[in-house]
Amino acid sequence: MEKAKISAYQLFVLIVLFELGSALLVPIAIEAKQDAWLAILLGTAGGFFLYLVYYGLFHYYPDILPTEYMQKIVGKPFGKLLAFLYILYFMYLAARMLRVFGELLITFAYPRTPLFILNALFLVVIIYTLRKGIEVVARTGELLFVILFLLTISGFMLIVISGLIDLHNLQPVLEEGMLPAVKTVLTRTLYFPFGEAIVFTMILPYLNQSKKAKLTGVYAIGLSGLTLTLIAVLNISVLGINLTTRSQFPLLSTIQTIQIGGFLERLDVYFMLFLILGGFFKISLFFYGAVAGTANLFNFKEPSKLAYPIGIAILLVSMTISSNYAEHINEGIRLIMLPIHLPFQVIIPVLLLIIAFFKHRKKRGK
Amino acid sequence: MPPFFKYKKQKGHTDQSKDTRDSENHHVPELIDPSLSVNLDIIKQKTGHSSDIIVRTIITGNTPLHKASVVYVDGLVDTQAINDSLIEPLQTNHDLLEMLYQQDELDKFTKEFISLGSVHPVTNWDELFLTLMSGDTIILIDGSNKAWSASAKGGERRSIQEPSTQVSVRGSKESFTESIGTNIAMVRRIISNPDLWIESMKIGNVTRTDVSIMYINGIAKTEVVDEVRKRLKRINIDSILESGYIEQLIEDQTITPFPTIFTTERPDITAGNLLEGRVAIFVNGSPDALLAPALFIGFFQAVEDYYSRYDIATATRFIRVLAFFISLIGPAAYIAITTFHQEMIPTQLLIIVAAQRDSVPFPAFVEAIIMEIAFEILREAGIRMPKVIGSTISIVGALVIGQGAIQAGIVSPATVIVVAITAIANFATPSYTVAISARLIRFLFMISAAVFGFYGIILGFIMLVVHLVSLRSFGVPYMTPLAPFIPKNIGDTIIRTPLWAEKLRPRLISSTDNPVREGENQKPTPPKSRGMKKKNTR
């Protein structure tokens, strides 16, 4: 563990930026059609539950990283294996995100730039940041959060002013009952974006007031859930359900429709700012989870130096993970949701929490 | 053994022998000799018979013959004062001097008859030369193994003038001079409080420059004061010629374009910062005081913000921050838009710009870089050029480079406009040191914009933010109170809240024991009746 402390507000900012990072840009919960907003809200409730599970683990072991307490909970050999799997999981997620962002950039702004160059450049910036430690990541978050927040508000105002919102697009509500929404939650929104907060188990031990961890996380997830809901409502009401379903990046399509006074139009840079800033935090935090976990598991004295080898690994994985974007998205939806996300984000943490609970009760009983 | 090891060892050896030789040369006579002529010889030898060392020998008694000498450096002392209050008493009080001399109580004489500010005895040569060279006058009396150093500093100095770089419309028109005593007095005049503490030291093995640190006891953080003191004590260098030397030797992070120590030439800015808990460092010979710890936002706070009303101050501060952004990414954004994101420009404007750029042979990046470099050369030339030929440069700059380049079709008018706006925006930053770093970083942004468009600019911006938040100035994060976010101190950042609303001193800078800077209910509330209170007439 590096010697660092972050404040509750910084944790809040990091969680919000992390949750919004990629979920703002790509279509989420669109399987629930007009009820996407409901699916996201229900997903938020699931997010609360998952966060409380992660918090429960942190509550039992407030001073050590998960890679260490896993060994305490399930024994050394098995715990080490589990910790190693989590490190690989974080690296894999970082590589996935990197690929998505590279592909997004290629699709909408740089069709002729090689993916490798875009990804490598992004990773250079992230490595530079991680070399400076979690405190700097947190402070960067604080500054950029304000900028993103102002951008969001101004973007929202622009959409409202340009009179594009048509709430009729949201009807009919619950056309086929609750089932599609619930199904979407259980197969999609619970894991992406809310379950990904598992990486914050690697960051919670740095909190300077561990008492505030619970409320801060809940507020942050609540705020991000509300924002995502709002954006989903916005996208569907502006574009209509047909267009939103078919769009690769609904938010981009929405922003592109803004036209005010024949002057404020084609504000793609808005989207690019969201894209890069959000992606920056999402990848940085997964990457940080991998770096901190590796350093902790293998007793590395200087975690920051691990940023180079792990960064190169992430870059290479991001290139070879799939042969094109369609395949990548398909993998993301079909292949990893239930077989990988479900055990890593839900089953293992819940099991760990149950074992930890009984272990601690036994200790207290003595 | 590999040769470089040998070399290293030899080098170490020679260093040692040099050291011993040095110490032989310097420290032969440690204490002052009773014989006046021996002492004078030592002084002459040590100063190499320099012509500005004035030695006046006076006969102080005839029976038996007694002599005393007054030694001073010409130009550093007030000759009038020495004549009136030092030489005259020595010449006139022969009998008394003789009596005290026999009783071995010469101290009493110097105390009672020499009417100069401070007189104190000196017994060893090191101290004697130190005081002599810093402008004190030395009295040597034959037969005494003590000398007396009397303070009668004087000589020609620059008088207090108006500030030349930190100009303000409202506020005091004083600026620091090269004399450390005057500078300290100017601050003392503003803060008339015994808690204003000053510590002095000499830094520089050869120059022996006076350096003072100043802080307000009880408001400044003890850790910061200790840290400043520790870093100053660490300095071991031959010379300190300007406060810039100290700044470079004590800053936290050397690999950064941003200054982590604030410099000012105004006493009122210094006083304001001392009252926020900062520590000031004065260096003799330098009209710039150093203030630490510095915050990034501090470089955008002009002194007038505090003197004018808050709404005006907030507006002007907004403009300054905006100008800083423009001066950072103005040309970069132009390059990115014209090369990568043409769709962002409204169609009418796009046609105009495209028509202009049609005849230009270079890509936007080359165009912009040519103009930027030309402008930087103009500016650099303008600073060091004799004032008499100033008009030449404006003619060359405006006509030849501006108009000529466009008419020749080398650059497009749009580029010139962008470069000019950037240049003017750069001057809007109140602090010259931060403006310079913006100039430097601008070129990096231009390159990344030319290669990757807005993607490059945004990544560059993230890197800039990461770099800024990773900096520290004497342990305080550079971007405080924005990151780490301190809501209570946000009132004096990009906005400035009214004076009556800023109840607390900056939290991470000033001492935590004494954070409140003003009483309750400072918001002015005029009386209910409309006019003034009526006089009791009739």
Side-chain angles (χ1 to χ4, degrees):
Chain A
M1 251 178 101
E2 59 175 315
K3 245 182 152 180
K5 282 285 166 221
I6 62 170
S7 70
Y9 174 69
Q10 286 174 333
L11 179 72
F12 173 83
V13 164
L14 282 183
I15 295 181
V16 173
L17 285 171
F18 175 84
E19 300 282 2
L20 297 184
S22 54
L24 264 186
L25 315 174
V26 296
I28 55 166
I30 207 62
E31 292 83 358
K33 305 268 159 142
Q34 280 93 335
D35 299 331
W37 57 272
L38 187 66
I40 297 173
L41 272 186
L42 289 175
T44 314
F48 288 147
F49 165 72
L50 285 182
Y51 182 78
L52 290 180
V53 171
Y54 308 149
Y55 169 76
L57 284 169
F58 163 70
H59 183 67
Y60 283 126
Y61 303 96
D63 303 320
I64 50 176
L65 291 174
T67 42
E68 211 170 328
Y69 64 63
M70 279 173 191
Q71 298 174 31
K72 291 202 173 175
I73 294 175
V74 294
K76 246 193 177 163
F78 195 59
K80 275 196 173 163
L81 180 70
L82 208 56
F84 188 65
L85 285 178
Y86 265 100
I87 292 166
L88 290 183
Y89 178 61
F90 292 147
M91 278 172 71
Y92 174 69
L93 285 181
R96 271 201 75 80
M97 289 299 152
L98 189 60
R99 176 62 180 259
V100 170
F101 286 108
E103 293 279 2
L104 289 182
L105 281 171
I106 285 188
T107 329
F108 96 97
Y110 301 93
R112 275 187 274 173
T113 313
L115 177 69
F116 183 78
I117 302 287
L118 292 175
N119 280 3
L121 201 72
F122 205 174
L123 213 59
V124 165
V125 176
I126 293 172
I127 289 176
Y128 175 78
T129 314
L130 289 191
R131 291 274 284 126
K132 301 201 179 257
I134 187 72
E135 270 187 6
V136 167
V137 177
R139 275 190 237 143
T140 312
E142 276 179 300
L143 262 187
L144 296 183
F145 179 70
V146 178
I147 295 173
L148 267 187
F149 209 77
L150 292 177
L151 276 178
T152 316
I153 292 173
S154 58
F156 187 73
M157 300 264 283
L158 285 178
I159 292 174
V160 172
I161 292 169
S162 51
L164 292 165
I165 295 179
D166 181 8
L167 287 175
H168 291 293
N169 281 334
L170 285 168
Q171 289 166 342
V173 179
L174 293 178
E175 194 182 8
E176 295 167 48
M178 286 291 281
L179 201 67
V182 174
K183 203 177 149 200
T184 312
V185 171
L186 288 180
T187 53
R188 302 283 140 76
T189 37
L190 185 59
Y191 316 111
F192 175 82
F194 295 107
E196 286 178 337
I198 178 86
V199 78
F200 280 94
T201 50
M202 301 295 292
I203 288 161
L204 282 176
Y206 294 116
L207 200 65
N208 59 2
Q209 294 161 296
S210 50
K211 277 180 198 163
K212 286 192 179 169
K214 196 168 160 187
L215 272 184
T216 309
V218 168
Y219 284 150
I221 288 173
L223 179 66
S224 17
L226 281 179
T227 316
L228 289 177
T229 312
L230 196 67
I231 296 290
V233 169
L234 212 62
N235 285 337
I236 297 174
S237 59
V238 170
L239 299 174
I241 186 65
N242 202 358
L243 216 60
T244 317
T245 325
R246 281 188 287 123
S247 170
Q248 264 184 323
F249 317 116
L251 187 65
L252 177 63
S253 312
T254 308
I255 290 175
Q256 277 173 337
T257 55
I258 297 176
Q259 269 184 335
I260 294 170
F263 178 73
L264 277 174
E265 49 187 15
R266 282 166 296 202
L267 298 165
D268 297 19
V269 173
Y270 246 84
F271 181 72
M272 189 135 96
L273 254 176
F274 276 119
L275 170 74
I276 297 171
L277 294 185
F280 172 75
F281 284 101
K282 195 122 198 178
I283 300 170
S284 293
L285 288 169
F286 279 134
F287 193 168
Y288 180 78
V291 168
T294 315
N296 188 255
L297 190 62
F298 298 103
N299 286 327
F300 228 77
K301 287 282 174 310
E302 286 174 90
S304 58
K305 282 199 176 147
L306 278 170
Y308 297 118
I310 294 183
I312 290 169
I314 289 177
L315 180 61
L316 293 179
V317 171
S318 82
M319 294 304 297
T320 53
I321 202 166
S322 49
S323 48
N324 56 48
Y325 188 52
E327 187 188 326
H328 189 70
I329 290 295
N330 192 34
E331 259 176 33
I333 293 174
R334 303 249 145 63
L335 221 65
I336 65 164
M337 276 294 175
L338 291 180
I340 297 181
H341 280 337
L342 183 63
F344 274 101
Q345 293 177 357
V346 186
I347 298 175
I348 297 176
V350 169
L351 284 179
L352 284 176
L353 184 64
I354 293 172
I355 301 172
F357 173 73
F358 281 113
K359 273 200 162 176
H360 272 259
R361 210 173 62 166
K362 220 163 86 187
K363 238 187 233 168
R364 209 172 283 168
K366 278 177 193 172
Chain B
M1 201 190 277
F4 60 89
F5 275 137
K6 255 188 209 162
Y7 169 72
K8 229 179 177 177
K9 208 171 177 190
Q10 274 174 352
K11 198 182 162 200
H13 201 72
T14 47
D15 272 2
Q16 217 175 20
S17 64
K18 200 179 160 200
D19 272 359
T20 48
R21 203 176 55 228
D22 274 3
S23 60
E24 271 169 26
N25 230 345
H26 280 287
H27 297 288
V28 176
E30 212 153 80
L31 296 173
I32 292 167
D33 201 81
S35 156
L36 183 64
S37 56
V38 171
N39 285 341
L40 291 180
D41 276 349
I42 290 175
I43 291 179
K44 274 179 186 156
Q45 192 199 335
K46 177 86 179 171
T47 57
H49 299 271
S50 299
S51 55
D52 63 338
I53 311 287
I54 311 288
V55 179
R56 282 190 62 178
T57 306
I58 307 154
I59 309 275
T60 55
N62 292 321
T63 49
L65 189 72
H66 271 135
K67 283 190 207 161
S69 284
V70 174
V71 185
Y72 57 85
V73 182
D74 194 21
L76 295 190
V77 295
D78 185 351
T79 332
Q80 186 68 39
I82 289 175
N83 281 338
D84 290 352
S85 5
L86 204 87
I87 295 176
E88 212 182 289
L90 283 172
Q91 281 172 333
T92 47
N93 296 306
H94 285 193
D95 301 339
L96 187 76
L97 204 60
E98 183 66 28
M99 196 179 79
L100 290 173
Y101 184 69
Q102 268 156 15
Q103 292 169 359
D104 210 13
E105 283 190 54
L106 284 167
D107 265 337
K108 205 171 169 188
F109 175 79
T110 55
K111 265 182 200 154
E112 286 175 10
F113 287 90
I114 296 178
S115 49
L116 283 172
S118 80
V119 182
H120 64 273
V122 180
T123 50
N124 71 17
W125 282 107
D126 270 352
E127 201 185 343
L128 186 143
F129 279 116
L130 200 63
T131 50
L132 177 65
M133 290 305 156
S134 59
D136 283 355
T137 306
I138 306 290
I139 308 152
L140 289 160
I141 296 180
D142 197 13
S144 164
N145 60 355
K146 262 193 220 165
W148 285 266
S149 113
S151 170
K153 289 183 186 174
E156 289 299 318
R157 284 189 197 126
R158 193 165 66 100
S159 60
I160 298 176
Q161 283 168 342
E162 279 195 32
S164 56
T165 56
Q166 292 173 319
V167 190
S168 74
V169 176
R170 190 167 178 180
S172 98
K173 299 284 182 287
E174 282 184 330
S175 78
F176 287 137
T177 69
E178 280 76 10
S179 152
I180 189 169
T182 318
N183 294 350
I184 290 176
M186 280 158 86
V187 179
R188 178 77 81 181
R189 231 170 266 153
I190 299 175
I191 308 174
S192 322
N193 195 310
D195 281 334
L196 183 70
W197 285 7
I198 293 156
E199 288 171 30
S200 296
M201 57 190 84
K202 296 217 184 265
I203 302 180
N205 303 331
V206 177
T207 57
R208 309 264 186 131
T209 312
D210 281 316
V211 175
S212 294
I213 59 178
M214 181 191 263
Y215 55 94
I216 301 181
N217 182 38
I219 294 180
K221 237 186 183 171
T222 353
E223 296 91 10
V224 174
V225 178
D226 289 344
E227 185 63 31
V228 170
R229 199 181 293 131
K230 205 177 87 193
R231 288 189 196 180
L232 286 176
K233 291 261 157 69
R234 223 197 98 251
I235 298 177
N236 181 6
I237 191 173
D238 62 342
S239 57
I240 298 289
L241 296 184
E242 218 271 343
S243 56
Y245 277 53
I246 301 270
E247 183 184 351
Q248 291 172 56
L249 290 170
I250 64 171
E251 62 189 355
D252 287 58
Q253 165 81 277
T254 48
I255 310 170
T256 172
F258 292 99
T260 50
I261 293 174
F262 195 79
T263 51
T264 181
E265 54 164 5
R266 294 180 63 110
D268 51 350
I269 292 182
T270 312
N273 279 291
L274 288 173
L275 286 163
E276 284 190 345
R278 289 193 180 79
V279 179
I281 304 169
F282 292 92
V283 178
N284 199 10
S286 164
D288 287 304
L290 304 177
L291 291 163
L295 304 181
F296 183 65
I297 200 73
F299 293 93
F300 295 92
Q301 298 166 339
V303 66
E304 242 165 296
D305 293 355
Y306 301 96
Y307 301 155
S308 55
R309 287 180 53 253
Y310 67 94
D311 41 3
I312 312 279
T314 302
T316 49
R317 212 174 261 182
F318 251 98
I319 294 215
R320 260 177 245 138
V321 175
L322 182 73
F324 183 73
F325 269 104
I326 291 177
S327 75
L328 265 184
I329 59 173
Y334 173 72
I335 292 169
I337 290 175
T338 49
T339 5
F340 287 90
H341 311 275
Q342 292 95 344
E343 77 278 0
M344 276 184 64
I345 318 176
T347 322
Q348 284 292 316
L349 186 61
L350 183 66
I351 293 168
I352 298 171
V353 172
Q356 284 175 0
R357 301 216 49 243
D358 189 38
S359 57
V360 176
F362 303 115
F365 171 67
V366 177
E367 235 184 296
I369 220 115
I370 289 174
M371 285 316 286
E372 279 291 338
I373 290 178
F375 174 71
E376 292 296 332
I377 293 173
L378 265 180
R379 168 142 76 172
E380 196 54 29
I383 295 175
R384 275 166 246 304
M385 188 186 46
K387 284 202 177 92
V388 214
I389 48 172
S391 57
T392 325
I393 234 178
S394 44
I395 292 169
V396 171
L399 291 181
V400 180
I401 296 181
Q403 213 173 343
I406 294 172
Q407 278 179 354
I410 296 171
V411 292
S412 65
T415 315
V416 174
I417 294 172
V418 170
V419 170
I421 290 177
T422 313
I424 294 167
N426 196 244
F427 290 119
T429 316
S431 165
Y432 183 64
T433 40
V434 156
I436 285 186
S437 35
R439 271 161 75 184
L440 209 63
I441 300 168
R442 182 195 305 152
F443 284 95
L444 297 181
F445 270 110
M446 282 165 70
I447 292 169
S448 55
V451 184
F452 288 104
F454 267 114
Y455 181 53
I457 295 182
I458 297 172
L459 285 188
F461 180 69
I462 294 181
M463 240 168 149
L464 179 70
V465 170
V466 169
H467 178 73
L468 279 173
V469 298
S470 74
L471 288 179
R472 275 169 186 274
S473 174
F474 287 82
V476 179
Y478 198 45
M479 292 307 274
T480 319
L482 299 171
F485 184 64
I486 303 173
K488 275 180 183 158
N489 297 147
I490 210 76
D492 188 19
T493 49
I494 298 174
I495 51 167
R496 186 178 86 71
T497 45
L499 207 53
W500 42 263
E502 280 176 52
K503 292 224 182 323
L504 301 176
R505 299 198 176 90
R507 201 183 75 193
L508 286 180
I509 294 167
S510 61
S511 164
T512 41
D513 307 331
N514 181 14
V516 182
R517 41 172 277 178
E518 65 185 21
E520 291 297 314
N521 300 328
Q522 288 302 298
K523 187 182 177 183
T525 42
K528 288 253 161 57
S529 62
R530 275 194 208 142
M532 293 289 193
K533 221 176 183 181
K534 275 179 190 165
K535 275 183 191 170
N536 278 335
T537 44
R538 251 182 284 174

